[in-house]
């Protein structure tokens, strides 16, 4: 019987079939961050267990760390203790830590592909819902809660129910100025934030095949915003070229064996999915959210829609927009380029390419927060930071920063922000802060114009 | 983990769609936090006014619902982040059961890990329970019977629900999943040995 890519990722990891669609799955890689990492390690000990496989666990502090230039783990006082505890537990358990300022440090979902911690055909979990990002290399990667994380650390396995399968096919070719971020926002706009609930989503089609690896990570990053715990792309030559030579990638004969195995990781012709959706990539325009849920999104050229119900009205009240007004021209106060969605080198290049020697509007505070220490160093090596600084952006230290604002940094109340992150929830970027999600190029253009603009004409 | 069999009480209505985990508890409250004492932060943005006083319009601040063990939710309840603190905070408020048309996947799984029962019912059924409760909140009780898998509405109507058999027995018996899996330790080690031979590339270069 023809198999889906999901089948090929799932079946080999079944340690025991538990019946009723449940399986005890082997977990090949575990990521820990400062919000949940130390606690999980402590809890394993408190429950009387030890770490099953410390060699498969990787940690990095990213959430509660200041992004201020020259920061240390003490700069944001509230995060200092959790990080110190993480360091201590890491020393006791012997797992790998990529600490602030070290190569390898960064947002978990940026550093894991960057170091080839995640490989095609592997299973990876983290106590973080955007773990689905890592599906971009062709892995089964998903977020879990703290209790499940303790189970994984103690046993290297997880009890999981087989999800249903969905294939989301992007046909055609992306128009110029349109990115992976716009593809996935458009899909969420069409399917809704619960459209993928209960599904594992395979992103397929010529427009996905044409995406560079980093853009596939962006695509998979927002799977959870569509309700899907996991999303992935079949690995191909683009994936292999990206991974080759990275820190934890196999080498020599093991590399050759790996690539041979990875080439089989695609849905067979005739494979049947529980749900199939097709979107013509050629029809997608740059997207921007107008509300407080990622599904409240529209092409930038559209007007703010008339509310379809009380939830839409509440969103408009919070975001301070009126139904029927043009999105283009809405004044912007803040711009944030960063987060595990869009903080990789290619994202920073996209944003920098928009600047062309122009300046950020005087009333706009604009930040670039590279996703990892490596991204930061590579961007500096090619002079991107200088372009951002000359334009009037702040060039900051890697971490989650204004994506979740648990590090003492936030957008002030009532201020409007264009952000390359993934959640525009009420209060996500600060109490009363108004967030519009968009691509890095759209965010850069908004910073220059001081207003929402269509990057294609800017 | 405490066993869950039957829960009875007034069902608090919070029927809006897409209640996300940021609304249930903001991430800032979870920096370095443990499992206990998070109830005071649950729905804090809705429960409290800017000056710290209670917002009387929020259902969980209203007399019959304060000690309510059951919460009625809208579509996609608990969507958003994986933070289990959302479940811990609601449990600390005294909640044990959520009834909604659909749930965020990770929140749904986190409930069972904490002896809490998420029940999926059609939106019209959830609405009906809310209406029957609102008719006389102080004595309109809803029961959720996990053994029989029925919700009994305040008017005595029985609405069947289904929950995964595995999760149902784990809740009924208060099972510890880690202890269960530990019994399969040999199977896991054997899988790893086989996998190492079959996929050497997945294990190479990781030696500490
Ligand atoms: S960047 Fe944002 S979404 Fe990504 S891991 Fe950090 S907080 Fe979560």
């Amino acid at each position: 019987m023809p198999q889906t890519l999901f089948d090929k990722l799932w079946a080999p990891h079944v340690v025991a079939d538990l019946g009723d669609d449940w399986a005890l799955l082997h977990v090949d890689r575990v990521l820990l961050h400062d919000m949940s990492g130390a606690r999980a390690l402590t809890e394993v000990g408190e429950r009387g267990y030890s770490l099953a496989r410390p060699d498969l666990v990787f940690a990095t502090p990213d959430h509660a760390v200041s992004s201020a230039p020259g920061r240390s783990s003490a700069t944001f006082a509230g995060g200092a203790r959790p990080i110190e505890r993480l360091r201590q537990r890491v020393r006791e358990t012997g797992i790998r830590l990529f600490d602030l300022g070290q190569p390898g440090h960064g947002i978990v979902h940026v550093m894991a592909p960057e170091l080839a911690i995640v490989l095609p055909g592997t299973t990876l979990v983290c106590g973080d819902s955007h773990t689905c990002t890592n599906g971009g290399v062709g892995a089964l990667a998903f977020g879990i809660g703290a209790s499940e994380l303790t189970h994984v650390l103690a046993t290297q396995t997880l009890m999981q129910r087989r999800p249903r399968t969905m294939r989301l096919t992007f046909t055609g070719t992306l128009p110029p100025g349109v990115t992976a971020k716009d593809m996935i926002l458009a899909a969420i706009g069409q399917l809704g934030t619960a459209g993928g609930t209960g599904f594992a989503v395979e992103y397929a089609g010529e427009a996905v095949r044409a995406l560079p690896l980093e853009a596939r990570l962006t695509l998979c990053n927002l799977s959870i915003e569509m309700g899907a715990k996991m999303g992935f792309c079949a690995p191909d030559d683009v994936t292999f070229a990206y991974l080759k030579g990275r820190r934890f990638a196999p080498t020599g004969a093991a590399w050759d064996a790996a690539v041979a195995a990875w080439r089989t990781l695609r849905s067979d012709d005739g494979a049947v999915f529980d749900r199939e959706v097709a979107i013509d990539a050629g029809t997608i325009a740059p997207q921007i959210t107008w509300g407080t849920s990622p599904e409240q999104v529209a092409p930038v050229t559209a007007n703010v829609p008339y509310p379809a119900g009380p939830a839409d009205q509440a969103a408009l009240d919070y975001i301070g927009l009126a139904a029927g007004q043009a999105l283009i021209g809405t004044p912007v106060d803040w711009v944030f380029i960063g987060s595990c969605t869009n903080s990789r080198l290619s994202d920073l290049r996209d944003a920098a390419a928009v600047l062309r020697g122009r300046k950020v509007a005087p009333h706009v505070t604009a930040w670039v927060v590279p996703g990892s220490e490596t991204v930061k160093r590579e961007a500096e090596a090619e002079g991107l930071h200088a372009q951002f600084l000359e334009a009037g952006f702040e060039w900051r230290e890697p971490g989650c920063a204004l994506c979740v604002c648990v590090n003492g940094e936030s957008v002030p109340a009532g201020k409007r922000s264009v952000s390359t992150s993934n959640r525009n929830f009420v209060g996500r970027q600060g109490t009363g802060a108004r967030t519009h999600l968009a691509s890095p190029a759209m965010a850069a253009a908004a910073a220059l114009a001081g207003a929402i603009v269509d990057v294609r004409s800017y | 983990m405490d066993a869950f069999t039957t829960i009875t009480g007034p069902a608090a209505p919070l029927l809006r769609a897409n209640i996300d985990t940021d609304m249930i508890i903001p991430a800032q409250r979870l920096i370095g936090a443990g499992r206990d004492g998070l109830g005071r932060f649950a729905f804090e943005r809705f429960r409290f006014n800017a000056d710290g006083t209670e917002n009387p319009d929020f259902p969980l601040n209203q007399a019959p619902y304060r000690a309510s063990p059951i919460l009625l939710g809208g579509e996609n309840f608990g969507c958003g982040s994986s933070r289990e603190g959302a479940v811990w905070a609601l449990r600390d408020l005294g909640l044990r059961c959520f009834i909604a048309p659909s749930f965020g996947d990770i929140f749904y799984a986190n409930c069972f890990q904490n002896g809490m029962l998420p029940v999926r019912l059609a939106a019209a059924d959830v609405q009906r329970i809310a209406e029957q409760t609102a008719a006389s909140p102080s004595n309109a009780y809803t029961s959720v019977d996990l053994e029989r898998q029925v919700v009994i509405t305040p008017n005595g109507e029985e609405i069947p629900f289904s929950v995964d058999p595995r999760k149902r027995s784990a809740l009924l018996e208060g099972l510890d999943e880690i202890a269960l899996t530990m019994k399969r330790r040999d199977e896991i080690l054997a899988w790893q040995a086989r996998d190492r031979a079959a996929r050497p590339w997945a294990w190479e270069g990781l030696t500490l």
Side-chain angles (χ1 to χ4, degrees), chain A residues 289-310:
Chain A
T289 61
W290 52 264
T292 56
S293 162
E295 71 185 9
Q296 292 169 325
V297 66
V300 65
T301 48
N303 296 335
V304 177
Y306 287 91

Side-chain angles (χ1 to χ4, degrees), chain A residues 63 107 109 128 130 339-340 400 403-404 422 428:
Chain A
H63 280 66
I107 305 173
H109 317 307
D128 192 285
H130 291 98
S339 89
C340 59
C400 300
C403 173
V404 66
N422 45 41
R428 174 85 176 185

Side-chain angles (χ1 to χ4, degrees), chain A residues 144-184:
Chain A
I144 56 177
S147 300
E148 289 180 315
L149 184 57
T150 305
H151 185 285
V152 172
L153 289 171
T155 69
Q156 208 55 43
T157 64
L158 185 62
M159 291 184 194
Q160 277 294 291
R161 191 188 175 145
R162 196 183 191 288
R164 289 176 293 160
T165 55
M166 185 195 303
R167 178 160 60 186
L168 181 45
T169 304
F170 287 95
T171 59
T173 312
L174 271 188
V178 182
T179 67
K181 179 67 162 289
D182 303 302
M183 289 165 76
I184 190 66

Side-chain angles (χ1 to χ4, degrees), chain A residues 33 35 62-63 107-110 126 128-131 133 221 224-225 336 338-343 399-406 421-423 428, chain B residues 27 81 83:
Chain A
H33 60 57
M35 286 292 282
D62 55 3
H63 280 66
I107 305 173
V108 265
H109 317 307
V110 175
C126 173
D128 192 285
S129 60
H130 291 98
T131 309
T133 312
N221 176 270
I224 188 70
E225 260 48 71
F336 169 57
S339 89
C340 59
T341 314
N342 279 129
S343 63
C400 300
L402 290 182
C403 173
V404 66
C405 299
V406 293
S421 54
N422 45 41
R423 286 189 176 142
R428 174 85 176 185
Chain B
S81 110
R83 69 187 69 141

Side-chain angles (χ1 to χ4, degrees), chain B residues 162-201:
Chain B
S162 74
V163 57
D164 192 273
R166 222 191 140 71
K167 288 297 177 190
R168 176 172 170 266
S169 50
L171 271 194
L172 287 173
E173 292 157 36
L175 288 182
D176 173 352
E177 288 194 344
I178 300 184
L180 277 181
T181 300
M182 277 297 173
K183 291 188 187 147
R184 296 180 181 270
R185 196 151 172 276
D186 291 346
E187 264 175 274
I188 298 169
L189 294 177
W191 184 95
Q192 288 175 335
R194 278 198 311 277
D195 191 64
R196 225 188 158 104
R199 298 190 310 158
W201 50 266

